[in-house]
Amino acid sequence: MKKLLLLIFILTLIIVGCAQEPASQPSEEEPAVEAEVEEEEEPAEESSFPERPIEFVASYAPGGGHDTLMRTMLKIIQDEGISDASINVVNKPGGSGAVGMAYVNGHAGDGHYLMAATSSLITTPLTSDVGLTFRDLTPIARLGIDPELLLVNAESDYETLDDLINAGKVLNIGGTSTGGIEHIAAIKLQIIAGVDINYIPYQGDGEVVAALMGNQIDMVFTNPNSAIDYIKSGDFRPIAITTEERVDLMPDIPTFKELGYDIVVNIYRGVMAPGGVSDEVVAYYTNMIEELVATEEWQKDYIERNLIVEGYLPGEEFGEYLEEVYLLYEETLTELGLIK
Amino acid sequence: MEALDNLSIGFVEVMTFYNIMIIFMGSIFGTIVGALPGLGPSAGIALLLPLTFGMPVTTALCLLVGSYMGTMYGGRITAILINTPGDAPAIMTCQDGYPMMTQGKGGLALGISAISSFVGGAFGLIILVFGAPIISKISINFGPPEYFMLMILGLSTITLLAGDKMLKAALMTFFGFAIGIVGSDYVSGYVRFNYHPELIEGIDFVAIIIGLYGIGEVLFNIEKLIHLDLGKPSFKIREFIPSLKELKQITMPTLRGSVIGTMIGILPGAGGTIATFLAYTSEKKASKTPKRFGNGAIEGLAAPEAANNASVPGALIPLITLGIPGSGGTAILLGALIMYGLRPGPLLMVESGTIVWTMIAGLILANVILLISNIMLIPIFINIIKLVQKYLSPIVASLCLLGAYSLNYGMFNIWVVMIFGVIGYGMKKFKYPAGPLILSVVLAPLTENYFRQSLMLAQGKFSIFLLRPISLGILIVILVIAVLSIVNNYRNKAKKRVMAN
């Protein structure tokens, strides 16, 4: 009987251990940690960063955009020997990015954290009081941009932007959530190009694409990554793209600008460090990322695979860019009555 | 028979010793993860994902889909043993599974549910292999009005679950709607009740389930000083392999559950959950002895379990044909596919057909492995519970809190679980049903969103619900069900009056 009880006890411990896996996850996944542990024992000098393993923080679960970015970066940094520091990817999902932001902000002044940043960096603090803004963090680099494509179903009669402008009725346009980048693009389409639109928010790119596939709506704004296969397969017809210049990956698609309408909106993918970190830390990450974005692997495994438009900006310029983006969102969300 | 040719190529790829071992481990891992309250398919796949980066793509996918299927088998275990469903689709398993456990027939409940899970999974897989392209073509014709009607159909099962406690069930439904309101609303762009950053994405319904069922049950048992008497540990095969008569009894419910699960599982959002509720209530409706339901009817156990597992291949159909994830688990799979360098979308089957077929072959293999291993594991699970029955309450409570922590790796959900534990205790004490509450927590946001999207699509005209044939068809089904139940009610009351006289 006692033996059996002991067995049960051990089994329970195993089950508990399984459930706790995420806590110990980083050390299990990345063998690099073990190799670097010895280094910690050496006397840490004041000027040598990093002093201990660096955490790459993804504010969404594995498989999400933040996670993909951080893990691809880590893989290339290790494969190409860009840095010999030990680095772990840590997922802090929840609160539309708020949990991850709060986690990194909680380590202000400590450079051993690098966080993936996308539109939620600005929109979540704008729409909810999460006790911090993007200004509390240190911008390190913008890695690329996701433009928006205006698409119609290939079966539709609309061939060009002019057809949409002269449709003579209110057109249903789909995109992701109200107040998001696609909504902003749609509002600009109405104001600048004069297309009469009725915006329908969907949850996620998949639903947007499905709605256009099923002819539920007249047109959509979505990012190239979700649409490219449907353009290739001939299901969707691209009308225009929201970049300054034509994009190498899709050279046949005209920009709104060349069609005579100044609609340039896009979302960014970048990385941020906690606030108040030393110049040395900023220089360390800047060098690391400059080397990273110059590799062929980065072009192939991240930029091309996710159909991102290149747009590297170093820290300070990324910060200025974020201020511009902040103003755009603040203005739009205030006009829509979503924030006061 | 092109599908069969492709599938056999997939099987050739999958049948290496390494791959079979990987699928086996993934399945077992999935079963354990699924059995733990709070950890469901999403968590199972997310935990394994980082481990797959060094593997060949096909092996990695086999591991992920094996564990995905495994979690569906695992979810039923805690539902039956300790009345704590691991995820929303397992709620209906508690309904008759746990009463069987308290009657000392827990082993049989696990055996029956393993078999119906297998049949459900196999049925879904057959549809996936032969019908994926056609089904995906049909599914894109479903827009917000059709989904709204399906949500209403799902919610209408509450009236059937409620029995004679209609008012209490209605009260719980509204309570569920109120909880479902919390969080960011992508249709309006507002974030509601965002007093705490963790509330931005709403209250996690898995935490609510763990609180209501797990902690609520524990508190109730402590107050009533209920001592489960499950008997001494034993290893008799007859206790968990159903007899021929029982197998016959569950054949039709299992098949009906499989059909419902595959068809409804394809729907994004809450497909699996709605499917289990519909499967359960339709069995109860079809049964000649509906009174047995809720007291350990094996049909009421088999149908939702079959539906639950049939929804897994169902949810994969939009993923591999259109690149659209239909559930939390497939959403993470989508991320995984992209990380492996595949492009989920209309061209996936054309460009990477072999990999997809290998994944499907792996899923078929996983389903077989899971049936065998789950039946073998029954005596272990049952005897663990029998051994620790004196200490069951603290063990269940700690498992629940652990599960709550693992939802987001933070304290917040532990508070949610404890608050809903107290609510669940009160509900059990005063006999308020928990099913309608959970169903409306899950469906409320979807119902609300689809309703508003429909009206936006129609630019304000309510006629959109009547002008679209599929939407109108579902509406008619709902009306027929409603009229039939009202007529039935009157008849029963009239009969009673006659009897009384």
Side-chain angles (χ1 to χ4, degrees):
Chain A
M1 191 65 188
K2 268 191 180 165
K3 269 187 192 166
L4 266 172
L5 269 179
L6 191 70
L7 185 76
I8 304 309
F9 180 59
I10 291 167
L11 268 175
T12 321
L13 275 187
I14 293 172
I15 292 171
V16 168
C18 285
Q20 280 179 335
E21 201 164 307
S24 57
Q25 189 181 20
S27 57
E28 274 176 27
E29 280 156 34
E30 317 298 349
V33 181
E34 283 159 38
E36 300 294 326
V37 170
E38 287 160 26
E39 232 183 45
E40 268 186 282
E41 288 164 14
E42 287 168 24
E45 285 165 42
E46 280 291 307
S47 61
S48 68
F49 178 84
E51 294 161 13
R52 53 193 169 83
I54 293 171
E55 281 187 19
F56 276 10
V57 181
S59 307
Y60 293 85
H66 285 214
D67 186 69
T68 316
L69 169 62
M70 291 328 245
R71 285 185 202 277
T72 313
M73 274 175 62
L74 174 63
K75 186 170 169 282
I76 298 169
I77 287 170
Q78 286 177 343
D79 288 358
E80 302 278 307
I82 293 171
S83 164
D84 55 2
S86 74
I87 303 171
N88 303 306
V89 175
V90 178
N91 297 89
K92 294 281 170 193
S96 296
V99 173
M101 279 183 247
Y103 175 74
V104 171
N105 193 43
H107 293 283
D110 181 353
H112 295 86
Y113 300 86
L114 192 68
M115 183 184 85
T118 53
S119 54
S120 60
L121 174 74
I122 285 173
T123 52
T124 301
L126 262 177
T127 50
S128 300
D129 179 14
V130 296
L132 63 109
T133 73
F134 73 98
R135 296 192 186 98
D136 292 318
L137 305 168
T138 310
I140 298 293
R142 186 180 77 174
L143 297 164
I145 56 173
D146 286 47
E148 294 294 329
L149 276 170
L150 181 64
L151 302 154
V152 295
N153 193 308
E155 293 166 9
S156 99
D157 299 329
Y158 307 115
E159 303 265 345
T160 61
L161 189 56
D162 284 332
D163 292 345
L164 294 170
I165 295 169
N166 302 321
K169 61 170 185 169
V170 182
L171 297 173
N172 285 338
I173 179 166
T176 50
S177 65
T178 297
I181 191 70
E182 280 139 20
H183 192 192
I184 292 175
I187 292 170
K188 292 209 170 213
L189 186 67
Q190 177 153 35
I191 296 171
I192 298 173
V195 180
D196 221 351
I197 60 140
N198 172 39
Y199 188 76
I200 302 177
Y202 286 87
Q203 190 170 30
D205 301 329
E207 280 194 15
V208 175
V209 167
L212 189 62
M213 264 304 268
N215 274 318
Q216 312 272 346
I217 39 184
D218 299 308
M219 55 186 166
V220 299
F221 260 123
T222 192
N223 56 54
N225 200 19
S226 358
I228 191 84
D229 276 7
Y230 292 91
I231 298 173
K232 274 193 207 155
S233 66
D235 289 312
F236 290 175
R237 184 182 303 130
I239 301 289
I241 190 165
T242 61
T243 44
E244 292 273 351
E245 285 160 20
R246 287 198 185 206
V247 172
D248 292 345
L249 294 162
M250 297 157 282
D252 301 333
I253 305 175
T255 65
F256 279 102
K257 246 189 162 167
E258 67 185 84
L259 294 174
Y261 305 101
D262 187 16
I263 303 174
V264 180
V265 291
N266 42 57
I267 52 174
Y268 53 91
R269 301 183 183 204
V271 282
M272 309 283 283
V277 296
S278 65
D279 290 347
E280 184 205 359
V281 170
V282 176
Y284 177 87
Y285 283 134
T286 306
N287 286 339
M288 184 166 95
I289 284 164
E290 265 173 10
E291 269 187 63
L292 171 86
V293 295
T295 60
E296 253 177 61
E297 242 188 311
W298 173 254
Q299 286 297 323
K300 195 164 74 43
D301 287 352
Y302 195 72
I303 300 287
E304 279 173 31
R305 186 171 288 177
N306 295 293
L307 293 173
I308 290 163
V309 175
E310 270 183 278
Y312 171 73
L313 286 181
E316 241 168 72
E317 285 164 59
F318 181 37
E320 284 160 22
Y321 168 82
L322 286 176
E323 291 289 345
E324 280 171 37
V325 176
Y326 177 83
L327 281 179
L328 174 67
Y329 277 107
E330 196 193 27
E331 199 180 303
T332 317
L333 295 179
T334 313
E335 260 169 46
L336 291 171
L338 295 175
I339 51 172
K340 282 166 210 150
Chain B
M1 287 291 104
E2 200 194 334
L4 277 186
D5 288 343
N6 288 327
L7 186 62
S8 57
I9 295 170
F11 264 110
V12 171
E13 288 277 322
V14 124
M15 283 295 178
T16 64
F17 180 71
Y18 180 57
N19 280 352
I20 294 173
M21 282 315 290
I22 285 282
I23 292 174
F24 177 73
M25 284 174 352
S27 308
I28 300 292
F29 176 82
T31 308
I32 294 171
V33 166
L36 290 170
L39 295 176
S42 319
I45 299 173
L47 285 175
L48 286 180
L49 185 56
L51 300 179
T52 61
F53 290 145
M55 296 178 184
V57 176
T58 48
T59 311
L61 280 174
C62 284
L63 179 66
L64 297 186
V65 293
S67 72
Y68 184 11
M69 200 68 163
T71 54
M72 286 298 172
Y73 274 86
R76 69 186 223 291
I77 296 173
T78 30
I80 292 170
L81 294 181
I82 55 175
N83 200 25
T84 307
D87 202 354
I91 290 170
M92 283 295 107
T93 312
C94 289
Q95 202 80 11
D96 282 287
Y98 186 64
M100 284 182 77
M101 181 71 190
T102 53
Q103 292 157 18
K105 292 188 287 186
L108 184 65
L110 285 175
I112 285 176
S113 56
I115 292 169
S116 56
S117 290
F118 171 77
V119 176
F123 185 87
L125 282 165
I126 292 171
I127 303 295
L128 171 63
V129 169
F130 294 105
I134 304 162
I135 289 176
S136 70
K137 279 213 183 76
I138 299 170
S139 72
I140 54 164
N141 290 318
F142 272 58
E146 286 77 23
Y147 285 125
F148 171 70
M149 283 300 160
L150 277 167
M151 296 300 138
I152 296 295
L153 181 64
L155 283 168
S156 68
T157 62
I158 286 173
T159 58
L160 286 164
L161 286 174
D164 46 0
K165 288 176 282 190
M166 197 63 86
L167 198 63
K168 284 180 173 175
L171 211 59
M172 286 297 107
T173 309
F174 289 124
F175 183 35
F177 259 89
I179 296 167
I181 287 173
V182 178
S184 69
D185 166 33
Y186 67 88
V187 178
S188 70
Y190 284 103
V191 187
R192 299 155 169 170
F193 302 103
N194 51 343
Y195 303 119
H196 188 278
E198 296 263 9
L199 286 174
I200 296 175
E201 286 173 5
I203 302 174
D204 197 325
F205 66 84
V206 178
I208 299 175
I209 295 171
I210 298 173
L212 287 184
Y213 284 86
I215 303 286
E217 177 82 19
V218 165
L219 293 177
F220 186 76
N221 287 353
I222 291 173
E223 188 205 33
K224 296 271 162 193
L225 290 174
I226 289 178
H227 287 296
L228 292 176
D229 187 16
L230 305 169
K232 289 210 168 107
S234 70
F235 288 89
K236 282 188 204 125
I237 276 193
R238 231 175 303 129
E239 282 185 3
F240 55 87
I241 302 283
S243 67
L244 264 182
K245 186 175 154 256
E246 283 156 341
L247 280 178
K248 230 175 162 183
Q249 209 178 339
I250 61 162
T251 305
M252 286 321 285
T254 302
L255 288 179
R256 283 191 288 257
S258 307
V259 175
I260 294 174
T262 314
M263 300 319 288
I264 315 273
I266 299 163
L267 305 180
T273 312
I274 297 183
T276 55
F277 276 79
L278 285 178
Y280 184 83
T281 46
S282 64
E283 279 317 310
K284 190 174 174 183
K285 203 80 204 157
S287 170
K288 284 176 192 137
T289 49
K291 284 251 159 74
R292 289 189 304 122
F293 280 71
N295 298 314
I298 55 174
E299 303 97 311
L301 176 65
E305 262 309 311
N308 184 352
N309 284 50
S311 73
V312 173
L316 281 175
I317 292 176
L319 179 72
I320 60 175
T321 53
L322 300 168
I324 298 162
S327 63
T330 45
I332 297 179
L333 268 184
L334 177 75
L337 287 171
I338 295 171
M339 260 193 242
Y340 301 146
L342 302 172
R343 301 199 45 82
L347 302 178
L348 180 68
M349 292 294 251
V350 184
E351 285 172 355
S352 329
T354 322
I355 293 175
V356 175
W357 284 105
T358 311
M359 178 176 94
I360 294 173
L363 202 55
I364 294 172
L365 195 63
N367 199 29
V368 177
I369 292 176
L370 277 161
L371 173 69
I372 299 167
S373 58
N374 266 277
I375 287 194
M376 310 270 254
L377 286 171
I378 292 171
I380 298 177
F381 285 126
I382 288 291
N383 288 322
I384 287 177
I385 297 290
K386 280 181 178 173
L387 273 178
V388 299
Q389 52 182 310
K390 272 191 197 156
Y391 320 106
L392 201 55
S393 292
I395 291 173
V396 171
S398 43
L399 278 178
C400 287
L401 294 184
L402 205 66
Y405 176 79
S406 68
L407 287 176
N408 252 352
Y409 310 119
M411 282 300 290
F412 184 79
N413 279 317
I414 293 189
W415 288 108
V416 174
V417 164
M418 294 207 278
I419 292 167
F420 277 93
V422 175
I423 295 173
Y425 159 72
M427 283 165 56
K428 217 170 151 69
K429 193 170 163 77
F430 299 109
K431 301 208 165 61
Y432 283 84
L437 173 56
I438 299 290
L439 190 65
S440 73
V441 170
V442 176
L443 299 191
L446 295 167
T447 313
E448 190 199 347
N449 291 340
Y450 290 134
F451 181 68
R452 285 180 295 166
Q453 280 176 340
S454 305
L455 288 182
M456 288 168 123
L457 264 181
Q459 302 181 357
K461 293 185 214 63
F462 277 88
S463 56
I464 188 167
F465 296 110
L466 302 174
L467 292 177
R468 294 169 61 127
I470 304 175
S471 158
L472 182 65
I474 306 170
L475 180 63
I476 292 171
V477 171
I478 297 170
L479 289 177
V480 168
I481 293 176
V483 170
L484 282 182
S485 343
I486 293 169
V487 170
N488 258 344
N489 247 349
Y490 270 103
R491 261 194 207 157
N492 288 346
K493 272 186 191 159
K495 253 187 208 169
K496 269 185 195 164
R497 235 175 276 143
V498 173
M499 299 264 274
N501 287 340

